[in-house]
Amino acid sequence: MTMIAPGSVSAPQSAAAPSISDAEIDALVARLDLPARIRLLSGASTFRTQPEPAVGLRAMGVSDGPAGVRGEKWDERDTALVLPSATALAAAWDDDLVTELGGLLAAEARRKRIHIMLAPTLNLHRTPAAGRHFECYAEDPLLTGRTAAAYIRGVQAGGVAATAKHYVANDSETDRLTLDARVDERTLHEVYLAPFEAAVQAGVWVVMSAYNRVNGVTMSESPLLAEPLKGSWGFDGVVVSDWGATRSTETAALAPQDLAMPGPHPLWGEPLLAAVREGRVPQAAIDAKVRRILRLAARVGALDGVLPPRPAPAPRDPHGLLRRAVSAGCVLLRNEGGLLPLTPAPAPGPAGAATDSAPGGTAGGLPGADIGGTVDAGAGAGPDTGAGTAGAPRRLARLAVIGPNAASARVQGGGSAGVFPEAVVSPLEGIGEALSGTGTEIVYAEGVNLATRPTPLHPGNSRDPRTGEPGVLVRYLAADGREICAEHRLSGRILEPGDAPELARTAATVEVSALVTPATPGEWRFAVVGLGAVTLHADGEPLIDTYVVAESDDPTYVHVAPSFRTAARKVTPGEPLHLVATRELAPDQGLAVALAADPSRPDEDEAIAEAVACARAADAAVVVVGTTDEIESEGFDRPSLALPGRQDELVAAVTAANPRTVVIVNSGGPVELPWRESAPAVLLCWFPGQEAGHGLADVLFGRAEPGGRLPTTWAAGTRGAPLPATAPDAGVLDYAEGPYLGHRAWRRAGATPAYWFGHGLGYTTWAYESLTVRPEPAADGTGAAGPSGQGAVALVTVRNTGARAGREVVQVYLTTGPDDHDDGSPRLAGYAAVHAAPGEAAVAEVRIEPRAFQRWSPAAGGWVPRPGPYTLHAGPSAARQPLSGPLDL
């Protein structure tokens, strides 16, 4: 029997405190006059804080996250390592892995001279339609809080500040700048504030106030910044605003809002100085903010004379870590008949004979197709019993790889979190490498096309007309057409100048030009992206000359993905075209511009027929479907959970043609899977990061087990599903569902989703044998209810009943007595993972924190015991807990 480490919320920890005292910080503040103090309270630029040489304060660099460190500039030449999306990290249910990945981000940040990472995102999966779903962890506050704490520990151990965002109830994108989230006090504390409390307990150094209002007050002015954040929680770091979210001078300054970004902020410059001098804002409020900024600078090594802790070393094998993270977050939703893992190696026996694999067998150094997973009754997983592997050939003479995301995996969502990958391994590439030398032939067909926005030029199809180098020429021009500065770029999508930003920002027009040599005949579509006056010429011929009116003032739309205009033109293969696009630059319209080109697309009926023919002629098929950053993005919510385009039709046709079809779902959040009962194997990989192809190949061919479990419940469809709305009504978004999120809402509605929270299969099977529950005394020995009250420990014995070693995520749920706000139905109370060899038993020690047994009382203004009786339930998902035990506290 193997005992694992406890699966509890880790004790607060972060990098050690720098060697500076409060008295020393006070002395530094005293050396600054009032204008200098106020100057520190807003940024020096978009992603940089103000320096102050008088006290040895250096500017701190800030970068968006959470899946990578872009740096201060949007420049495709400055590449970054790309992690799996936040949904994938939470799906791993693995704190240690997430901490390792946080350390990798810290090393990337230090390489790019970044002091503050704007991550993690702690908003909840209130609804799967939320556009930023991929950037958040889970529907459950406990899983979100634990994953966030692990991320924070990893980042800050590397000497870089993590930022818990967006505080609070910023859970959808529609009208996100102005909506008023109406949340009752108890739900707010028990559900939406809970992950932020966990972040503070983990020692987070920065918290970001959100754009939205909560119960009528915009968050940069909210009393929630004082209590509980800086009050009962004891947060001693900096509250930074979301970019542009500080909307007042006096009210925001009187609130515990410390830093207004970006800067210099017009409301926190001279107007704030005047407010202090006239007595409308006390200087003590300003000094408190400055102290926190200086403390943050000391922590990240931006204050002279203060030695920050030595940062933890960077991971030795970052690509190996990213590859391991892919398989750890993959969720095997269905594996009918033990199709996975596929076994390409030749089977023993007569030449040319195909042999079914036997459980536990191996071939060619790869694990055999001994499949299974915990049977999750009611989870919509189908009859995945792992009881046999009939029909699974040892040899794949031919494998069909199909789908638009197979050759070009989507590894991140859209919006401010986007980074420029140093390289991306597609599923097709990863499968090709894994099968190299095995004799298996790979055939590929796209099937459908997903792109709705034009494709920016890239080094593979464009040349700088001035130098002939792959890429494009970007020129910034004065009003009279004079060239102010120019730069060679690798992409036709230019979000901001890279080489001479200050000069470029004086320009009246930005121009992108390139030589493009079409490889295929027909009518191509050329496009220019940008707001205001735009033009596009091909060999001097005008194709576009128009004015584009902004459709939104959302920062993501304006600065990342503004509107585009297209024009069609016939081309001759091999004859270069000189394309020139321009857009005028005007205040409040951003700097983004793009020059794009797309060849004529093949007939989609013919493309689907080709894919079906490939599948029919193969021993097995792998279809990769999913979304794009045009579908899942910051700035807007999804109007539908359906896969875009004709992907559902493609999957249905391929599975009908080849009954040995594996469908890989490449999306950041839930999508509808109407074909899920006809596809024998369904594997969810989320947005898996740059090592996508390698990690997926590891899972497909059994080098790694799919380690993930769902961090959010997946609906079969939106009709009749308990899915809260994302669109506010008259500016108000009512959180009328109260504490019932995700699986709790489905259970309360008496409805059955496609897949329940916590569901996921592995490559072996598990039996839940016994549960022992005991109270755990409070740290002070009193056993009193409240934040320091009694918790519990659940000891869950499970046995690996399959023929292969594996990992099981043991989940413990709590039911309590009902009250007037909550029916006491199961809530996740703790979890831990076990590893065991075939036939071996393991004990998961799951610690249940005291808070699980408490509820927020508005009348008491604090935490009080939940009504009994208390019962703990252990199992593999929210739908199935075969073991239960009472607890007497």
Side-chain angles (χ1 to χ4, degrees):
M1 182 175 291
T2 302
M3 181 75 75
I4 68 157
S8 63
V9 177
S10 300
Q13 93 183 61
S14 188
S19 54
I20 187 170
S21 65
D22 290 346
E24 290 171 314
I25 291 177
D26 290 343
L28 293 177
V29 174
R31 290 163 54 184
L32 300 173
D33 60 17
L34 182 59
R37 297 181 198 189
I38 287 176
R39 188 166 56 248
L40 295 182
L41 303 186
S42 68
S45 61
T46 304
F47 291 107
R48 183 157 286 262
T49 66
Q50 291 280 2
E52 181 47 73
V55 293
L57 174 64
R58 297 185 294 280
M60 292 179 280
V62 182
S63 175
D64 279 309
V69 184
R70 186 182 62 247
E72 292 184 57
K73 297 190 298 182
W74 291 85
D75 190 331
E76 75 286 346
R77 296 167 297 181
D78 184 13
T79 60
L81 295 174
V82 185
L83 279 64
S85 62
T87 44
L89 300 189
W93 297 60
D94 188 336
D95 297 353
D96 292 340
L97 173 65
V98 174
T99 297
E100 282 189 77
L101 291 165
L104 178 60
L105 287 173
E108 280 279 278
R110 295 196 304 270
R111 178 175 68 84
K112 295 192 170 196
R113 298 184 179 181
I114 293 298
H115 302 84
I116 304 169
M117 275 283 294
L118 300 179
T121 304
L122 304 188
N123 304 114
L124 297 179
H125 294 171
R126 176 176 175 262
T127 169
R132 215 166 178 175
H133 193 289
F134 63 91
E135 198 178 324
C136 309
Y137 290 121
E139 70 183 33
D140 181 81
L142 174 65
L143 179 58
T144 295
R146 275 186 57 171
T147 307
Y151 184 102
I152 290 163
R153 289 193 297 269
V155 170
Q156 294 188 171
V160 176
T163 303
K165 66 182 189 183
H166 310 82
Y167 188 83
V168 60
N170 186 203
D171 307 293
S172 56
E173 295 296 289
T174 304
D175 295 342
R176 64 177 178 144
L177 305 183
T178 57
L179 73 82
D180 182 10
R182 297 287 175 88
V183 195
D184 71 84
E185 184 179 346
R186 182 169 166 187
T187 298
L188 186 64
H189 281 266
E190 293 181 9
V191 179
Y192 294 98
L193 285 170
F196 290 92
E197 183 177 13
V200 172
Q201 289 176 342
V204 73
W205 292 341
V206 181
V207 170
M208 179 187 288
S209 57
Y211 286 121
N212 56 285
R213 292 175 287 163
V214 172
N215 297 329
V217 183
T218 191
M219 282 309 304
S220 61
E221 303 168 7
S222 173
L224 293 170
L225 298 176
E227 187 57 52
L229 180 61
K230 289 184 177 181
S232 58
W233 292 356
F235 174 63
D236 68 352
V238 168
V239 174
V240 63
S241 71
D242 205 339
W243 268 229
T246 303
R247 295 167 171 135
S248 66
T249 298
E250 292 177 40
T251 310
L254 289 169
Q257 176 72 51
D258 300 313
L259 178 61
M261 292 294 286
H265 198 289
L267 297 179
W268 273 31
E270 289 299 324
L272 183 52
L273 179 62
V276 176
R277 285 176 170 167
E278 294 167 11
R280 290 178 281 122
V281 174
Q283 184 168 323
I286 303 301
D287 292 352
K289 302 175 195 299
V290 174
R291 288 189 192 97
R292 288 174 178 265
I293 291 170
L294 292 174
R295 183 180 298 117
L296 174 62
R299 285 170 165 164
V300 300
L303 192 61
D304 288 348
V306 180
L307 292 178
R310 178 176 296 178
R316 293 182 177 180
D317 179 15
H319 291 89
L321 174 59
L322 293 175
R323 179 173 182 161
R324 179 159 52 92
V326 176
S327 59
C330 280
V331 181
L332 184 58
L333 297 176
R334 177 177 169 87
N335 196 23
E336 179 72 12
L339 177 57
L340 286 178
L342 301 171
T343 308
T355 307
D356 289 347
S357 45
T362 59
L366 295 180
D370 42 280
I371 313 304
T374 305
V375 184
D376 200 353
D384 299 314
T385 64
T389 56
R394 279 188 176 273
R395 179 177 177 83
L396 295 174
R398 177 179 295 164
L399 178 66
V401 181
I402 294 167
N405 289 33
S408 180
R410 178 59 56 190
V411 301
Q412 56 185 331
S416 63
V419 299
F420 302 101
E422 60 168 11
V424 173
V425 181
S426 72
L428 184 60
E429 292 169 327
I431 291 170
E433 288 187 33
L435 295 181
S436 177
T438 66
T440 300
E441 177 188 3
I442 300 172
V443 291
Y444 171 70
E446 182 181 54
V448 297
N449 188 294
L450 298 184
T452 57
R453 290 182 67 87
T455 307
L457 297 181
H458 54 82
N461 66 2
S462 61
R463 289 182 292 121
D464 185 324
R466 185 172 286 180
T467 66
E469 297 175 86
V472 305
L473 172 65
V474 181
R475 300 197 305 149
Y476 292 88
L477 310 175
D480 60 4
R482 174 177 49 86
E483 181 180 299
I484 297 173
C485 58
E487 57 189 25
H488 173 73
R489 299 290 289 265
L490 301 179
S491 171
R493 179 176 180 242
I494 310 299
L495 297 183
E496 64 181 17
D499 294 342
E502 296 309 316
L503 286 175
R505 285 185 173 90
T506 66
T509 302
V510 57
E511 174 194 277
V512 184
S513 63
L515 296 172
V516 175
T517 303
T520 58
E523 191 172 76
W524 280 49
R525 296 187 68 81
F526 301 101
V528 58
V529 179
L531 302 178
V534 299
T535 68
L536 177 62
H537 291 76
D539 286 343
E541 174 190 351
L543 300 181
I544 297 172
D545 187 352
T546 189
Y547 189 92
V548 181
V549 177
E551 299 175 4
S552 169
D553 61 353
D554 189 284
T556 297
Y557 168 81
V558 172
H559 299 290
V560 181
S563 301
F564 60 89
R565 296 293 183 266
T566 61
R569 186 187 190 278
K570 289 187 176 181
V571 301
T572 303
E575 291 189 5
L577 281 175
H578 184 201
L579 299 177
V580 181
T582 68
R583 68 153 291 191
E584 289 186 355
L585 300 176
D588 302 321
Q589 291 193 335
L591 301 171
V593 63
L595 174 57
D598 289 284
S600 57
R601 295 176 179 172
D603 180 85
E604 202 157 72
D605 288 336
E606 294 178 4
I608 291 176
E610 178 189 359
V612 171
C614 285
R616 185 175 291 117
D619 297 303
V622 174
V623 186
V624 187
V625 295
T627 62
T628 71
D629 60 1
E630 303 162 22
I631 303 297
E632 292 187 79
S633 174
E634 177 184 359
F636 54 86
D637 293 311
R638 288 192 283 166
S640 169
L641 298 184
L643 287 168
R646 297 172 65 182
Q647 293 183 96
D648 288 333
E649 180 183 345
L650 174 67
V651 172
V654 170
T655 54
N658 191 323
R660 305 187 57 75
T661 295
V662 179
V663 183
I664 298 175
V665 183
N666 178 202
S667 68
V671 292
E672 295 175 4
L673 308 175
W675 35 259
R676 65 188 184 280
E677 296 295 340
S678 60
V682 182
L683 180 68
L684 171 60
C685 73
W686 313 99
F687 292 147
Q690 69 180 61
E691 289 293 320
H694 287 148
L696 283 169
D698 290 340
V699 172
L700 290 175
F701 302 115
R703 291 191 176 100
E705 186 180 37
R709 305 294 186 266
L710 286 179
T712 192
T713 304
W714 278 43
T718 56
R719 180 175 297 178
L723 305 178
T726 60
D729 181 9
V732 173
L733 187 60
D734 188 2
Y735 284 43
E737 69 280 359
Y740 301 102
L741 259 69
H743 70 92
R744 300 196 75 219
W746 284 90
R747 190 180 299 274
R748 186 171 188 243
T752 301
Y755 301 104
W756 287 89
F757 174 80
H759 169 67
L761 306 175
Y763 285 164
T764 188
T765 53
W766 297 88
Y768 280 71
E769 295 188 338
S770 67
L771 168 65
T772 302
V773 179
R774 67 168 187 258
E776 185 161 78
D780 60 7
T782 65
S788 62
Q790 235 177 352
V793 174
L795 300 176
V796 186
T797 302
V798 296
R799 187 176 301 277
N800 183 344
T801 56
R804 171 176 170 144
R807 173 181 181 264
E808 175 74 340
V809 178
V810 177
Q811 303 163 40
V812 174
Y813 293 80
L814 170 69
T815 56
T816 66
D819 58 40
D820 59 0
H821 184 263
D822 193 306
D823 62 10
S825 60
R827 296 177 295 115
L828 182 68
Y831 59 90
V834 294
H835 297 80
E840 185 180 36
V843 178
E845 183 179 333
V846 183
R847 295 191 180 278
I848 314 300
E849 296 299 313
R851 181 58 57 78
F853 305 100
Q854 299 161 7
R855 62 180 178 85
W856 179 262
S857 168
W863 298 93
V864 299
R866 289 182 181 271
Y870 303 139
T871 306
L872 294 178
H873 313 266
S877 78
R880 180 173 177 264
Q881 300 106 41
L883 303 176
S884 296
L887 177 66
D888 183 16
L889 288 182

